[in-house]
């Protein structure tokens, strides 16, 4: 109930004709043009409701943001940023630049001058947020070809090509190669399932990554839709200790990951889990995920 009330207040705050918007939501009219207070307009019906809410949250956090096709521009930390989100929506942009979990991590962690390994780099949004905090270099690793191409474009468009390498690669418990269908409409929880068609993508272990880039006292960001267990639990204490700090999104519980990290010498905390239901995934365990973040600091 509190979430719905908060959402309603944001709708009212960001949308001039919020009454018409609510009539669409309740099915009393089929469509309307949602006119945002910053001048942006969106043709709205029930099918485009998610897109509308993304705009609501975007303009709540960044009232002067602009949208043109698949590109979004906004100012963050006094710097104008531009992202092409393709067909995938604004979700990850909002999570990184507007959400509390990453902002809390960035506020409490000394990023300046450090190497960052960003596994699950999506559009390059987290890579850019780390660089804006003063990271020396970011290695942005993304398995999904659609995201990878956008990450390359966004890193270049924002002027960070010299301080960020973007790699098309998955991370796993053992090295190998997998095929990923670049036509997937959804990446969340489905991005690195086995496919017979698509792009051949290498799989790197965490050990291979830290050795390849000579990581020492680095920062690890891990957002891999459930594969964090395979990646971290197969990594030795020595490999894990090549990082001073970690932010990890967990999907099926935090206990095993926290115990493994504590055994390696980290102090660990986590945010409370919240339920995420993904109906396109198979099996109850896959569809019902309890997601949260783990923060780890080497003692």
């Amino acid at each position: 109930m509190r979430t719905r009330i908060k959402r309603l207040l944001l709708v009212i705050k960001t949308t001039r004709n919020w009454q018409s918007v609510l009539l669409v939501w309740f099915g009393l009219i089929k469509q309307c043009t949602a006119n945002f207070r910053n001048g942006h307009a969106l043709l709205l019906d029930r099918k485009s409701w998610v897109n509308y809410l993304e705009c609501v949250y975007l303009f709540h956090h960044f009232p002067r943001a602009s949208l043109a096709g698949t590109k979004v521009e906004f100012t963050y930390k006094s710097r104008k940023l531009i992202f092409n989100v393709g067909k995938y929506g604004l979700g990850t942009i909002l999570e990184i630049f507007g959400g509390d979990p990453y902002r809390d991590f960035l506020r409490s962690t000394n990023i300046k001058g450090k190497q960052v390994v960003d596994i699950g780099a999506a559009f390059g949004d987290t890579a850019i947020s780390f660089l804006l905090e003063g990271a020396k270099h970011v290695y942005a690793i993304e398995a999904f070809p659609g995201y990878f191409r956008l990450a390359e474009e966004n890193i270049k468009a924002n002027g960070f090509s010299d301080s960020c390498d973007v790699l098309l690669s998955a991370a796993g418990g053992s090295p190998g190669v997998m095929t990923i269908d670049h036509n997937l409409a959804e990446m969340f929880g489905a991005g690195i399932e086995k496919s017979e068609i698509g792009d051949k993508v290498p799989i790197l272990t965490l050990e291979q990554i830290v050795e390849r880039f000579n990581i020492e006292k680095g920062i690890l960001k891990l957002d891999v839709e459930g594969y964090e267990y395979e990646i971290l639990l197969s990594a030795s204490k020595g490999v894990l200790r090549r990082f001073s700090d970690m932010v990890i999104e967990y999907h099926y519980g935090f206990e095993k990951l926290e115990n493994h990290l504590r055994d390696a010498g980290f102090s660990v905390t986590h945010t409370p889990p919240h339920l995420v239901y993904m109906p396109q995934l198979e099996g109850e365990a896959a569809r019902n995920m309890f997601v949260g973040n783990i923060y780890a600091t080497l003692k």
Side-chain angles (χ1 to χ4, degrees):
M1 181 61 71
R2 291 178 61 185
T3 300
R4 291 182 179 179
I5 293 173
K6 181 179 179 180
R7 185 177 295 166
L8 174 61
L9 293 175
L10 292 182
V11 166
I12 295 171
K13 177 183 177 181
T14 58
T15 312
R16 292 184 187 277
N17 60 330
W18 56 269
Q19 300 95 332
S20 298
V21 166
L22 293 181
L23 291 178
V24 172
W25 172 245
F26 289 116
L28 299 176
I29 61 175
K30 289 186 178 180
Q31 66 178 29
C32 75
T33 298
N35 295 309
F36 291 92
R37 298 188 188 276
N38 66 357
H40 184 75
L42 174 71
L43 184 62
L44 175 67
D45 57 23
R46 288 296 294 269
K47 292 182 179 179
S48 59
W49 187 256
V50 172
N51 293 337
Y52 166 73
L53 287 180
E54 287 185 339
C55 291
V56 166
Y57 284 104
L58 174 67
F59 298 138
H60 165 63
H61 291 296
F62 307 103
R64 297 183 180 180
S66 63
L67 282 166
T70 62
K71 293 187 177 181
V72 56
E73 294 187 29
F74 58 94
T75 299
Y76 180 79
K77 290 188 176 293
S78 301
R79 176 153 180 166
K80 186 176 181 180
L81 300 177
I82 180 169
F83 288 93
N84 185 352
V85 301
K87 62 183 180 181
Y88 308 107
L90 298 169
T92 62
I93 299 293
L94 295 172
E95 178 185 8
I96 302 308
F97 294 101
D100 290 332
Y102 279 98
R103 286 188 298 182
D104 290 345
F105 178 74
L106 293 172
R107 279 195 294 260
S108 62
T109 307
N110 183 15
I111 307 292
K112 290 183 179 180
K114 292 196 174 184
Q115 297 169 296
V116 178
V117 175
D118 182 356
I119 303 178
F123 309 135
D125 39 17
T126 43
I128 288 174
S129 71
F130 285 127
L131 289 165
L132 290 174
E133 294 293 331
K136 178 181 180 181
H137 201 95
V138 176
Y139 302 97
I141 300 171
E142 177 53 52
F144 185 41
Y147 281 1
F148 165 76
R149 295 176 187 120
L150 289 171
E152 282 193 313
E153 177 183 339
N154 292 329
I155 293 295
K156 182 178 180 180
N158 288 287
F160 290 109
S161 296
D162 291 341
S163 52
C164 182
D165 292 339
V166 187
L167 287 77
L168 178 62
S169 178
S174 57
V177 176
M178 69 189 317
T179 303
I180 299 180
D181 183 1
H182 61 269
N183 292 314
L184 286 171
E186 284 282 353
M187 182 60 182
F188 191 99
I192 52 177
E193 298 295 332
K194 292 181 180 178
S195 174
E196 298 298 325
I197 59 172
D199 295 26
K200 299 290 184 182
V201 176
I203 304 172
L204 299 175
T205 65
L206 196 58
E207 181 176 7
Q208 287 177 310
I209 292 168
V210 298
E211 293 298 336
R212 179 173 177 176
F213 300 118
N214 194 27
I215 303 298
E216 294 290 347
K217 298 181 179 179
I219 306 292
L220 175 64
K221 172 252 173 171
L222 194 59
D223 184 357
V224 288
E225 316 308 345
Y227 288 83
E228 60 273 14
Y229 305 91
E230 176 184 338
I231 295 167
L232 289 175
L233 297 179
S234 64
S236 68
K237 294 179 181 179
V239 168
L240 295 174
R241 291 174 68 86
R242 300 281 283 270
F243 298 97
S244 65
D245 298 272
M246 301 180 183
V247 54
I248 302 154
E249 187 172 273
Y250 68 86
H251 296 77
Y252 303 106
F254 51 84
E255 293 86 354
K256 289 183 179 180
L257 297 175
E258 288 197 353
N259 289 337
H260 189 60
L261 291 171
R262 288 193 178 102
D263 286 343
F266 289 82
S267 60
V268 187
T269 60
H270 66 269
T271 61
H274 64 275
L275 177 64
V276 176
Y277 182 72
M278 300 302 294
Q280 77 271 24
L281 303 185
E282 296 181 0
E284 287 302 310
R287 288 200 298 266
N288 295 282
M289 294 186 280
F290 288 87
V291 177
N293 279 358
I294 292 172
Y295 308 116
T297 300
L298 190 62
K299 297 177 182 178

